[in-house]
Coordinates of all heavy atoms in Angstrom, one line a residue:
Chain B
Q1360 N -10.3 11.8 1.8 CA -10.5 10.6 2.6 C -9.2 10.5 3.5 O -8.1 10.9 3.1 CB -10.7 9.4 1.7 CG -9.6 9.2 0.6 CD -10.0 8.3 -0.4 OE1 -11.2 8.0 -0.7 NE2 -9.1 7.7 -1.1
S1372 N -0.8 -12.7 23.0 CA -0.3 -14.0 23.2 C -0.9 -14.9 22.1 O -2.0 -14.7 21.6 CB -0.6 -14.5 24.6 OG -0.1 -13.7 25.6
E1424 N -15.5 -5.9 10.2 CA -16.9 -5.4 10.1 C -17.0 -4.0 9.8 O -16.3 -3.1 10.5 CB -17.7 -5.7 11.4 CG -19.2 -5.4 11.3 CD -20.0 -5.9 12.4 OE1 -19.4 -6.3 13.5 OE2 -21.2 -5.8 12.4
S1438 N -8.1 -16.3 17.2 CA -7.0 -16.9 17.8 C -5.7 -16.6 17.1 O -5.5 -17.1 15.9 CB -7.3 -18.4 17.9 OG -6.2 -19.1 18.5
M1441 N 1.5 -17.5 15.6 CA 2.8 -16.9 15.5 C 3.1 -16.3 14.1 O 3.7 -15.3 13.9 CB 3.9 -17.9 15.8 CG 3.9 -18.4 17.2 SD 4.2 -17.1 18.4 CE 5.9 -16.7 18.1

Side-chain angles (χ1 to χ4, degrees):
Chain B
Q1360 52 195 25
S1372 298
E1424 186 171 11
S1438 177
M1441 297 296 291

